[in-house]
Amino acid sequence: DVKVTQSSRYLVKRTGEKVFLECVQDMDHENMFWYRQDPGLGLRLIYFSYDVKMKEKGDIPEGYSVSREKKERFSLILESASTNQTSMYLCASSLSGNNQPQHFGDGTRLSIL
Amino acid sequence: GDSVTQMEGPVTLSEEAFLTINCTYTATGYPSLFWYVQYPGEGLQLLLKATKADDKGSNKGFEATYRKETTSFHLEKGSVQVSDSAVYFCALRTSGSARQLTFGSGTQLTVLP
């Protein structure tokens, strides 16, 4: 089974802090994704990566950056956290190919105070 | 662009009732279709998928048939259980789509004993 592991289930940080969310997958997937999930807004794609050191903006990249130095690891960075970034963050990975599903981690519930 | 429209929730059923959650899509290519389930406090899990017209995906008593003529992928279960209470997401993936998965807004299902 594919395993996508997010480093924290719950995280509390303060406004202005630099926040790192880590995601690791163990199935040698080319593609990795970061989403945020908010009530009434569904899942929104922040960034994704289709290869090491490659990244593409999703629908809501403002205030975020990402890093993919190794194939198995994809980090989401909040450069200066703000209260409107309080949310559930979901990481996913997938193989390339039209019929390949994305596999999700358990999520990180981030609160910015 | 690609889009997925899901039945508005929340949906509340009694145990052993029949479930249908409607999903229709618009896609420029020839998509693969997926249903994901999210249990409270967890990430998304792949429930089932179908990759071509008339395919039926099935898992854990849930079924969905890829209907190209009606651009639909409705989720059904003959007899729901309390443990099926969750949020269900319909999604599609087309080749050449850089962000790869387009999600519906999700349907909250509550099953009462």
Side-chain angles (χ1 to χ4, degrees), chain B residues 13-16 39 80-86 109-113:
Chain B
L13 295 173
S14 297
E15 205 164 25
E16 299 184 4
Y39 297 104
V80 293
Q81 305 300 313
V82 171
S83 57
D84 294 326
S85 298
L109 170 67
T110 301
V111 180
L112 302 176

Side-chain angles (χ1 to χ4, degrees), chain B residues 49-110:
Chain B
K49 71 175 188 179
T51 59
K52 60 183 188 297
D54 300 324
D55 265 3
K56 179 185 282 188
S58 61
N59 186 23
K60 299 182 182 179
F62 291 90
E63 293 183 339
T65 300
Y66 190 143
R67 300 285 187 203
K68 189 167 184 280
E69 64 277 10
T70 55
T71 62
S72 64
F73 193 53
H74 305 321
L75 183 68
E76 296 182 336
K77 187 174 185 183
S79 176
V80 293
Q81 305 300 313
V82 171
S83 57
D84 294 326
S85 298
V87 180
Y88 292 82
F89 292 91
C90 185
L92 69 82
R93 179 171 178 172
T94 53
S95 58
S97 169
R99 63 191 56 196
Q100 301 182 331
L101 266 189
T102 301
F103 285 93
S105 57
T107 302
Q108 171 77 56
L109 170 67
T110 301

Side-chain angles (χ1 to χ4, degrees), chain A residues 62-101:
Chain A
E62 297 78 17
Y64 303 93
S65 62
V66 290
S67 172
R68 193 160 179 210
E69 296 297 317
K70 293 185 178 181
K71 190 174 185 180
E72 67 270 19
R73 185 180 296 271
F74 192 36
S75 303
L76 180 69
I77 304 154
L78 286 65
E79 297 289 345
S80 178
S82 64
T83 55
N84 64 10
Q85 292 178 310
T86 291
S87 187
M88 169 73 104
Y89 289 87
L90 293 168
C91 175
S93 71
S94 78
L95 291 168
S96 296
N98 187 32
N99 63 352
Q100 297 299 324

Side-chain angles (χ1 to χ4, degrees), chain A residues 3-15:
Chain A
K3 185 71 174 173
V4 179
T5 303
Q6 294 185 231
S7 53
S8 306
R9 289 298 301 274
Y10 301 94
L11 205 54
V12 180
K13 296 292 183 181
R14 296 213 172 268
T15 303

Side-chain angles (χ1 to χ4, degrees), chain A residues 9-10 31 33 35 37 41-43 45 48 50 56-59 88 90 94-107 109, chain B residues 30-34 36 38 40-46 49-51 87 89 93-106:
Chain A
R9 289 298 301 274
Y10 301 94
N31 306 309
F33 308 82
Y35 296 88
Q37 184 178 24
L41 297 176
L43 279 85
L45 182 64
F48 65 99
Y50 52 88
E56 293 284 343
K57 293 180 180 179
D59 299 315
M88 169 73 104
L90 293 168
S94 78
L95 291 168
S96 296
N98 187 32
N99 63 352
Q100 297 299 324
Q102 289 182 13
H103 300 269
F104 285 80
D106 287 336
R109 188 163 292 283
Chain B
Y30 194 174
S32 294
L33 302 172
F34 307 90
Y36 284 84
Q38 185 178 32
E42 299 184 10
L44 276 69
Q45 300 176 24
L46 178 66
K49 71 175 188 179
T51 59
V87 180
F89 292 91
R93 179 171 178 172
T94 53
S95 58
S97 169
R99 63 191 56 196
Q100 301 182 331
L101 266 189
T102 301
F103 285 93
S105 57

